[in-house]
Amino acid sequence: MSVGMGQDGVIEREEENAAVSEARLASVFDTAADGIVVINERGQILAFNKACEQLFGYEAADLLGRDVSRIMPHHYASQHKQYMHNYISTGEKKIIGIGREVQAQHKDGTVFPIELSVGEAGTHFGRQFIGILRDLRPRKAMEDRLSKTQAQLLHMTRISALDEMGAAIAHELNQPLTAVLLYLQSVSRKANAEDSLDPLIVDVIGKAVREAERASEIIQRMRQLVEKKAPERQTIQVEDFIKTCVEMAELGSSDGYAYLQANVAKELPMLQADPVQIRQILINLLRNAREAVIDVPQKKVFLSVSRIGDTLEFRVTDNGPGVPEELAGNLFRAFSGAKHKGVGLGLAISRSIAQNHGGDLRLENNKDGGASFVLTLPVEPKDEEMVEPSGSATTED
């Protein structure tokens, strides 16, 4: 009698242990961060945990008993059926016990990458396969951001090197150009002193002197653009200042003179600002506008300057395709430029410079097509303004 009761106790204990193990397994199954799916030899889904529901957008009840191909892209589904047939026939393992990256398909049709590990279990009802699925989209997104950041840092390093090289080239070119200018000035003085020389020769020499002087001024302005120095507020005569900005924006363009125009209102007040930094902004805007109309048959880039109340408004308008609405919101954020070249810093730094001058830089899409970038600067800035913005060495986007 006592033996019989002991056997009953053992049986009850085994049943209790089995129930506890099943409860533990169910708890792990439903609380696991990774998706867990169980299928049989026919590819039918036997279990589908909570993480899988979130991952694929299906309720477990929607898929239980259904073919696992429901959560696979079409080409993966056909490969999976062939693999299952080959494994059952030959026992050759290609994925069981080995994690690998595959494609999965959400309920809405979205295909996304997952890491899949498969285990096998023998049961009274045949072999079952347990798949552990991990969503790779967060890791892929992080890798993509890291890759872009590394590329941007590399580009920034190249830009820094180009800054130094540009300053060195400008310095070296300035010496022979100065010598050429001195020689031309000497010849010009000699030519003007002798009445026997052909007036045409005298005129050509005079033009050569003026072009050499202009080239020297351009090189000096280029040196100012690449030099890293603290902002320096100066009194700027707006009309002459705009003329130099347009000239520098036209550098490197064979047809720039045909469509790049400027209009400065009469009797504008003098502007108190850092000429190097404001020139950076305007050249950046003009060059961006020039790129925007590159595919337009009738190219138009227009820079206008007018006074509105206590501010001067510099408006750069083009007749290009304009800025898409989905890009406009992030246009002035660093590293968000949509162009294939550049680092996406130009407009971000330009707005920073404008705001540190007490002004602003904004975008206006034109109703008739094209875009306008509007730089506003106060006529009489406050004393506490003109703080140097970080990264203001270059603004080309």
Side-chain angles (χ1 to χ4, degrees):
M1 184 67 176
S2 60
V3 175
M5 290 182 63
Q7 290 176 341
D8 290 341
V10 170
I11 293 173
E12 290 176 358
R13 191 176 300 111
E14 289 177 350
E15 291 176 348
E16 182 180 349
N17 290 338
V20 170
S21 297
E22 185 176 349
R24 289 173 178 169
L25 180 60
S27 176
V28 171
F29 186 78
D30 284 334
T31 59
D34 293 332
I36 302 175
V37 59
V38 181
I39 65 173
N40 60 20
E41 294 178 347
R42 296 184 296 278
Q44 295 172 318
I45 297 175
L46 305 178
F48 198 76
N49 75 339
K50 298 286 186 183
C52 273
E53 291 181 339
Q54 296 178 356
L55 190 59
F56 291 96
Y58 289 101
E59 296 290 335
D62 298 333
L63 294 180
L64 294 180
R66 302 290 186 89
D67 196 280
V68 72
S69 61
R70 293 284 295 273
I71 58 174
M72 297 179 183
H74 176 71
H75 62 284
Y76 269 92
S78 59
Q79 291 176 2
H80 178 262
K81 290 179 180 178
Q82 184 64 38
Y83 164 72
M84 290 285 290
H85 175 75
N86 291 341
Y87 175 67
I88 293 172
S89 301
T90 66
E92 181 185 357
K93 297 180 180 179
K94 291 186 178 180
I95 192 172
I96 294 176
I98 303 173
R100 60 181 293 187
E101 180 179 333
V102 297
Q103 297 290 313
Q105 183 170 296
H106 192 271
K107 183 179 181 180
D108 63 9
T110 302
V111 176
F112 59 96
I114 62 170
E115 183 178 5
L116 173 63
S117 300
V118 179
E120 180 183 7
T123 72
H124 296 296
F125 304 99
R127 281 177 290 194
Q128 295 183 358
F129 302 94
I130 301 92
I132 310 297
L133 299 79
R134 176 169 296 175
D135 190 355
L136 291 181
R137 284 174 293 185
R139 191 178 80 184
K140 294 286 186 181
M142 184 177 296
E143 290 174 352
D144 185 58
R145 288 195 298 270
L146 179 60
S147 177
K148 288 181 179 179
T149 301
Q150 289 174 336
Q152 290 162 354
L153 289 174
L154 180 60
H155 200 166
M156 291 288 287
T157 302
R158 290 200 299 267
I159 287 176
S160 179
L162 284 174
D163 282 348
E164 297 178 5
M165 185 174 66
I169 290 174
H171 175 73
E172 294 299 325
L173 283 178
N174 192 54
Q175 295 182 13
L177 186 59
T178 300
V180 169
L181 183 58
L182 291 174
Y183 289 140
L184 286 173
Q185 289 173 342
S186 298
V187 173
S188 178
R189 286 193 296 269
K190 182 70 174 177
N192 289 324
E194 296 184 8
D195 297 333
S196 59
L197 286 179
D198 189 332
L200 178 61
I201 295 177
V202 175
D203 182 58
V204 169
I205 293 174
K207 289 181 178 179
V209 170
R210 289 192 293 274
E211 288 302 312
E213 290 174 343
R214 178 172 173 268
S216 179
E217 291 174 358
I218 290 174
I219 287 179
Q220 289 300 323
R221 290 196 291 268
M222 288 178 66
R223 290 183 64 183
Q224 290 177 334
L225 279 177
V226 298
E227 286 177 351
K228 299 177 176 67
K229 61 180 183 179
E232 181 180 346
R233 188 188 307 181
Q234 298 178 15
T235 300
I236 300 174
Q237 207 286 332
V238 178
E239 187 172 1
D240 292 341
F241 180 73
I242 293 300
K243 182 180 179 181
T244 64
C245 290
V246 173
E247 287 178 353
M248 294 194 71
E250 288 171 340
L251 290 176
S253 173
S254 59
D255 58 350
Y257 294 94
Y259 60 85
L260 206 164
Q261 302 178 26
N263 180 32
V264 182
K266 300 297 184 182
E267 299 181 357
L268 290 178
M270 305 294 278
L271 178 64
Q272 298 294 323
D274 186 308
V276 174
Q277 292 188 348
I278 302 306
R279 187 182 292 120
Q280 283 179 296
I281 297 177
L282 293 176
I283 291 173
N284 182 42
L285 295 179
L286 288 169
R287 288 182 174 173
N288 285 349
R290 197 175 71 184
E291 290 183 18
V293 300
I294 194 168
D295 296 324
V296 178
Q298 298 294 327
K299 301 176 177 62
K300 293 181 182 179
V301 175
F302 195 73
L303 168 60
S304 63
V305 188
S306 58
R307 179 170 183 171
I308 300 178
D310 294 331
T311 64
L312 289 182
E313 181 182 276
F314 302 78
R315 182 178 290 268
V316 177
T317 303
D318 65 71
N319 66 332
V323 180
E325 292 184 6
E326 62 269 20
L327 298 179
N330 294 324
L331 200 61
F332 294 96
R333 294 180 59 185
F335 304 121
S336 64
K339 296 195 297 184
H340 294 294
K341 60 182 180 178
V343 296
L345 282 173
L347 292 175
I349 294 177
S350 293
R351 171 174 275 184
S352 176
I353 292 173
Q355 291 175 345
N356 281 297
H357 277 74
D360 200 5
L361 177 63
R362 68 180 187 273
L363 164 70
E364 293 180 1
N365 271 324
N366 304 325
K367 294 181 179 179
D368 299 331
S372 294
F373 284 88
V374 183
L375 168 66
T376 56
L377 296 172
V379 175
E380 297 180 358
K382 299 177 182 179
D383 293 338
E384 63 268 20
E385 290 166 356
M386 298 296 299
V387 180
E388 182 180 13
S390 60
S392 61
T394 177
T395 64
E396 187 165 349
D397 194 11

